[in-house]
Amino acid sequence: MLTQLVALFAAFLLAANAIFQVALAAGVRWGAAAYGGKVAQDDGSLPTRYRVMSLVSAAFMGLLFLVILSAGGVGGAGLLSAEFVTWACRGATVLFVLNTAGNLSSISKIERWVMGSTTACLAAAFALMGWVF
């Protein structure tokens, strides 16, 4: 039960992050809350290459969404091999720890507090799934 709750919570955060990244890719003017708050254009949107990076990030969040649900035994639990899921969770833990460090050092308050908290929670969830559960 606890593993399913952790997986669902992390999946919700990943989905929200993916939606945020898709919105950035579509030109929504939230550029100050992403990529260190340093690359937003004058209108607040992202330059083209960062929009592409946001689309790649959204796709990656989709893969991690499947991984965390599989790790928690939710939904398509048999879709991915157990060994792949374990190693993917461990790799995602490292990724989100590094991402949290970057978010916390951002000049953007939104990125520092909102995204930093989000990635810290994701690091904890993936660590639990990859090493504890």
Side-chain angles (χ1 to χ4, degrees), residues 11-38:
F12 169 77
L13 293 177
L14 288 165
N17 193 354
I19 291 167
F20 173 72
Q21 294 295 335
V22 168
L24 287 172
V28 174
R29 298 175 179 175
W30 297 337
Y35 301 106
K38 299 176 184 176

Side-chain angles (χ1 to χ4, degrees), residues 59-110:
F60 187 66
M61 293 300 139
L63 173 63
L64 291 179
F65 181 88
L66 293 175
V67 166
I68 200 74
L69 289 179
S70 185
V74 179
L79 184 64
L80 304 170
S81 76
E83 185 176 351
F84 173 79
V85 168
T86 298
W87 285 105
C89 285
R90 291 176 180 178
T93 300
V94 172
L95 172 78
F96 283 119
V97 166
L98 294 172
N99 195 259
T100 299
N103 286 336
L104 294 177
S105 67
S106 174
I107 61 171
S108 166
K109 287 183 181 180
I110 293 171

Side-chain angles (χ1 to χ4, degrees), residues 98-130:
L98 294 172
N99 195 259
T100 299
N103 286 336
L104 294 177
S105 67
S106 174
I107 61 171
S108 166
K109 287 183 181 180
I110 293 171
E111 189 172 16
R112 199 168 48 243
W113 293 104
V114 176
M115 300 310 256
S117 299
T118 300
T119 55
C121 288
L122 286 169
F126 277 99
L128 287 170
M129 293 300 191

